[in-house]
Amino acid sequence: MGETEPARVGWPGDGRGGAILRAALAGRSIVLVGMMGSGKTSIGQRLAQRLSLPFKDADAEIVAAAAGMSIPDIFAKYGEAHFRDCERRVIARLLAGEPCILATGGGAFMDEGTRERIRERGLSLWFDAAHDVLLRRVRRKGDRPLLQTSDPAAVLRRLMDERYPVYRQADIAVLSRDVAHEVMVEETLAALYGWAKGEPENAASTADLARFMTSRPPPRAIEPQTVPVGLGDRAYDIVIGAGLLDQAGDHIARVAPGAACAIVTDGNVARLQLPVLRHSLEARGIRSSVIVVEPGEGSKSFPVFQSVCEQILEARIERRDVVVALGGGVVGDLAGFAAASVRRGSRFVQIPTTLLAQVDSSVGGKTGINTAQGKNLVGAFYQPSLVLADVDALATLPLREFRAGYAEIVKYGLIDDFFFFEWLESNASAVFADRAARVEAISVSCRAKAKIVARDETEQGDRALLNLGHTFGHAFERLVHYDSARLVHGEGVAIGLVCALRFSARLGMCSLQEAERVERHLTRVGLPTRIRDIPGWRADADSVLDAMFQDKKVEKGALTFVLLRGIGRSFVAKGVDVDAARSFLKDEMARE
């Protein structure tokens, strides 16, 4: 990874950067979007000074138009609908005027008409920020009408889940962090300069660049990447790219000519992605039937497994036909186990629609369901014939689920690729906001997993390294009864990664500074990192140990952990002392 790491683009620190940016903007405004508390006003004012542009604040303009009535008062007297109408008209007026730095309210970018005006007259820049950072900032002021509830943290989380998929449509994303304002201004300037320099490539002149920006061409095509999984006569490809759902019929016809398909999906994915897949199959003359299960871990059960198997048989799917998993890890595990079982094995294609599934569960052939005793304790190793990871399918993913998948990406850097972890430290914002960066991160992750799977398909040795963070994480999931409102898998992994590093440091295997470095990175993107971050946590150390002993990775009654001698230097530690683990867990639960 080290030799392919992209160079970081910084602000030149002289008039040249401003000239290039102004030429690229071609008379348009820079429009700041993001949640309340993300820094649009504080950073925007300083940004305007650096670029010698006027600063405008849409909320301040609305207050002025309402004869000084505050935003909460406007909400209380006239309602949110009236406020949004005022906001829409004010932003349209400001965009029609001179170029400026324009800060908008948190809900402004959600309006389709406003987004269209911004596309026509501005460059949108999203200040992304973690939940805890936003909550800490907005609590200082207490003037946010949408947060005047008994549980502002939950309301903020809901608003973020609703808004972040739309915010991701912004032209540029910058991660808003708790650092000095001057640092954030420099990072924002660097992002703007990188945008101006990077579109289009090899521009002949700033005049050409200005014409290019005025014409607003479609985004550049993303070149797909193919990662082979070398398993002899069961080898297959993982294809990673954009628009792959539209091409799924071509890919499936290539690996299974003349086959019919049974598509297993869940209710949420069926609404968003299924029509595109079925249209693609129909275009190639591929007969398909659909099996829809309820979203969530509850579908990884014996009754649902039985129902899926029976529906596959009712659809007259033969051994040479294909079971297609369209969805996240739950659908992939369930459909894969059904494919392994029906007629003693039907062909299987994974089309993962979550980041977590694209980098982890869709690759390597692990399938299964949960039982009362633990997660994935009944299943089979059954390799797919093909994996199609379409990064465009991630556009509708709630931020929380995207972050959960990112934890698994970080895991690959920690296992054996220090340079990849360093790349993530520099490029986390891009992975969250840019399709090309996502393809790169997913491809590196899949290559790492494919390499390990090719060496150890059924987890007799090296493959156990992929469980880094999972011994802890699976125990946490079990103790919250797989309640996704409290903890999703990737969040458990994030906490588990930090626990693995801190436990390694406790045992003298790595430095505490390395554990803290990883914790800072995960916290920066909004992931939980401490056991006490789990809502409603009441379990004690012995309960966690009991849950660990139910894990499928326990051998002969002894605990097995994946520990680290440093970032990128993991190893399998068998027979870990139970008392040492218990003492560590007690201290972790008490950690402030």
Side-chain angles (χ1 to χ4, degrees), residues 468-490:
L468 176 62
H470 286 61
T471 301
F472 290 102
H474 279 169
F476 303 148
E477 286 183 271
R478 185 165 186 265
L479 289 169
V480 300
H481 308 290
Y482 307 107
D483 180 357
S484 61
R486 298 176 63 189
L487 188 74
V488 295
H489 175 68

Side-chain angles (χ1 to χ4, degrees), residues 349-504:
V349 169
Q350 286 264 25
I351 306 182
T353 60
T354 67
L355 183 60
L356 183 65
Q358 289 184 358
V359 300
D360 184 54
S361 59
S362 67
V363 180
K366 278 189 178 181
T367 71
I369 58 176
N370 303 331
T371 70
Q373 288 72 34
K375 191 171 182 177
N376 299 324
L377 292 179
V378 176
F381 286 97
Y382 193 69
Q383 300 295 340
S385 300
L386 173 70
V387 179
L388 298 176
D390 187 346
V391 295
D392 287 346
L394 305 178
T396 58
L397 201 64
L399 176 65
R400 185 185 182 197
E401 294 294 335
F402 193 94
R403 284 174 170 149
Y406 185 80
E408 291 280 0
I409 291 177
V410 172
K411 180 190 75 174
Y412 292 109
L414 299 182
I415 289 174
D416 66 354
D417 196 338
F418 173 79
F419 293 109
F420 183 44
F421 179 77
E422 277 198 327
W423 184 86
L424 290 171
E425 285 184 308
S426 299
N427 292 277
S429 296
V431 174
F432 275 73
D434 179 70
R435 295 191 305 165
R438 289 177 188 174
V439 169
E440 175 68 10
I442 294 167
S443 298
V444 172
S445 301
C446 288
R447 285 192 187 95
K449 184 163 186 177
K451 181 174 64 175
I452 292 174
V453 169
R455 292 199 307 262
D456 178 22
E457 181 180 2
T458 59
E459 202 169 309
Q460 304 301 310
D462 282 358
R463 183 163 178 165
L465 294 172
L466 297 170
N467 295 319
L468 176 62
H470 286 61
T471 301
F472 290 102
H474 279 169
F476 303 148
E477 286 183 271
R478 185 165 186 265
L479 289 169
V480 300
H481 308 290
Y482 307 107
D483 180 357
S484 61
R486 298 176 63 189
L487 188 74
V488 295
H489 175 68
E491 292 171 340
V493 169
I495 299 171
L497 292 174
V498 174
C499 284
L501 276 153
R502 291 181 63 84
F503 191 31
S504 299

Side-chain angles (χ1 to χ4, degrees), residues 284-305:
R284 286 303 304 260
I286 299 173
R287 175 176 66 87
S288 66
S289 56
V290 178
I291 301 166
V292 180
V293 301
E294 290 294 320
E297 284 284 335
S299 286
K300 284 176 59 173
S301 65
F302 278 113
V304 178
F305 170 69

Side-chain angles (χ1 to χ4, degrees), residues 229-237 255 320 347 383-385 457:
V229 182
L231 290 170
D233 59 357
R234 289 171 297 103
Y236 58 94
D237 287 339
V255 299
R320 302 303 296 171
R347 282 193 287 197
Q383 300 295 340
S385 300
E457 181 180 2

Side-chain angles (χ1 to χ4, degrees), residues 48 83-84 109 164 242 253 287 334 363 368 437 480 523 538:
F83 173 80
R84 297 300 176 200
F109 203 60
Y164 273 45
R287 175 176 66 87
L334 174 65
V363 180
V480 300
T523 300
R538 298 288 184 270

Side-chain angles (χ1 to χ4, degrees), residues 72-83:
D73 288 343
I74 296 173
F75 264 73
K77 185 172 182 179
Y78 299 109
E80 184 177 359
H82 174 83
F83 173 80

